[in-house]
Amino acid sequence: MRDTTGYSTTAVFAAAARAAHPIVDQEPHLLEDPVAQRLCDSTSPSPLSFQVEHPEAPVLAAARLSACARSNFADRTLLDLGIDQLVIVGAGLDTTLQRVHDRFDGQAWLVDLPGVLAWREELFRNAGVADFAHHVAADLRNGLDPHLLKMAGFNTRRPAVILWLGVSMYLPPAQCRRFVADLSGLSHGSVLIFDYVLSPRHRDESGATYANAVATMAGKAGEPWLCTTAPSDARRWLEEAGWYVHQDIDEASVVPPEFWDRQTHLKPMKLIRLVYASLRVERRPT
Ligand SMILES: C[S@@+](CC[C@H](N)C(=O)[O-])C[C@H]1O[C@@H](n2cnc3c(N)ncnc32)[C@H](O)[C@@H]1O
């Protein structure tokens, strides 16, 4: 685990991937993220320049696909549900709120390590971007006590959407399991959207190559990958905590098959799964 200076290399990598996608990939785009671009441009050297100069590099292309597919899935689900409490766990430089702000009528809470939240605040201020969310400092290695959210104005008696994207791989499996159990006391109808990395025997070749490259990069930056899992284990963690799993899908299946025909750099890979689960609601709201 990295030190407490706040800077998260993996958070910057994800933001740069979202910023670059509309610039270097073919339409239709999975999302537009001008705020991520502003955040990148406000740091020197801009992390976006690697993406723009080498869009063909497999590790950069795979990062764009991964960061954009999960956010596309999360944005659509959040807006479809119409739930007005949003908790973004392991927020880093997440820009969901800035992407949906004109369609999301509710409040949001950002959870991350204290140093990361302070760094985020400074970066947004320097970039001149409003960040209208409550900050909740927590180290997920100790679980997430819903009381911390409550102290920041969260209503535990009303449903919430919890986004936990690009984070589970940085926690040991026991902590991932504890995290989903910690949140199981939230209100009926709450929704958890998260991603996890498949264990090696479930990956295809592209997924294995990307995993090696990113895990090495993240490990060198002090953010090693600690959790990979089989779908059956992820489902068991959720179900034993009372979550009902509605979807557990390959990240690449977020997009229609014809999407790939137009892409020069992006290719589907089998490595990361996206999950949509809810508390004690067996039918996915339409
Ligand atoms: C790859 S970034 C993802 C950021 C954001 N969710 C996104 O999709 O752009 C991983 C984030 O998880 C956070 N994280 C990792 N370990 C954590 C821990 N033990 N407690 C709290 N946050 C943690 C990091 O600080 C970082 O912001």
Side-chain angles (χ1 to χ4, degrees):
M1 175 58 62
R2 83 184 151 268
D3 63 18
T4 50
T5 53
Y7 185 94
S8 165
T9 302
T10 63
V12 170
F13 194 58
R18 293 195 309 274
H21 171 59
I23 302 172
V24 301
D25 294 317
Q26 286 64 45
E27 291 181 342
H29 295 134
L30 297 171
L31 51 73
E32 303 284 330
D33 204 333
V35 168
Q37 189 174 346
R38 271 170 75 177
L39 294 174
C40 291
D41 289 346
S42 73
T43 62
S44 178
S46 167
L48 185 52
S49 47
F50 294 111
Q51 281 279 5
V52 172
E53 285 160 23
H54 303 287
E56 74 294 345
V59 69
L60 297 180
R64 292 197 300 281
L65 171 66
S66 187
C68 297
R70 72 184 185 223
S71 288
N72 169 297
F73 182 74
D75 290 2
R76 282 189 287 118
T77 309
L78 172 69
L79 295 171
D80 282 355
L81 286 167
I83 291 176
D84 66 359
Q85 295 198 107
L86 170 65
V87 182
I88 304 177
V89 182
L93 300 181
D94 182 286
T95 43
T96 304
L97 269 178
Q98 285 73 22
R99 286 192 305 276
V100 303
H101 74 96
D102 53 342
R103 293 159 290 162
F104 172 70
D105 187 15
Q107 292 196 70
W109 290 261
L110 305 180
V111 180
D112 211 308
L113 295 163
V116 174
L117 289 175
W119 163 70
R120 173 188 168 103
E121 203 173 341
E122 191 185 345
L123 210 60
F124 273 64
R125 199 174 35 246
N126 290 345
V129 177
D131 198 15
F132 27 82
H134 310 276
H135 283 192
V136 177
D139 185 340
L140 300 173
R141 286 172 297 178
N142 305 320
L144 179 59
D145 182 352
H147 191 65
L148 288 177
L149 293 169
K150 210 171 161 182
M151 287 194 306
F154 179 83
N155 187 342
T156 49
R157 295 189 181 171
R158 298 195 31 244
V161 174
I162 317 291
L163 301 185
W164 186 41
L165 294 168
V167 189
S168 69
M169 52 294 275
Y170 301 105
L171 299 172
Q175 253 81 43
C176 290
R177 196 170 165 189
R178 173 174 174 180
F179 173 79
V180 299
D182 281 352
L183 293 184
S184 66
L186 295 184
S187 165
H188 175 99
S190 291
V191 166
L192 174 63
I193 296 170
F194 80 103
D195 53 355
Y196 66 89
V197 177
L198 284 168
S199 40
R201 74 189 165 90
H202 296 281
R203 302 171 186 170
D204 65 9
E205 204 181 320
S206 316
T209 306
Y210 178 66
N212 286 339
V214 171
T216 304
M217 184 274 288
K220 281 189 184 151
E223 299 178 70
W225 275 12
L226 302 174
C227 180
T228 68
T229 187
S232 54
D233 288 333
R235 178 174 284 267
R236 188 166 43 78
W237 298 341
L238 289 157
E239 289 182 348
E240 69 190 14
W243 292 93
Y244 187 87
V245 179
H246 300 269
Q247 272 180 300
D248 179 348
I249 55 172
D250 282 327
E251 195 176 61
S253 58
V254 161
V255 302
E258 56 275 17
F259 173 83
W260 306 109
D261 301 339
R262 304 193 191 175
Q263 297 301 321
T264 308
H265 309 300
L266 304 185
K267 299 193 173 32
M269 64 176 175
K270 210 169 167 53
L271 176 67
I272 298 177
R273 302 276 291 182
L274 276 167
V275 176
Y276 173 120
S278 69
L279 279 174
R280 296 171 286 275
V281 175
E282 295 198 1
R283 207 168 64 81
R284 179 178 165 157
T286 49

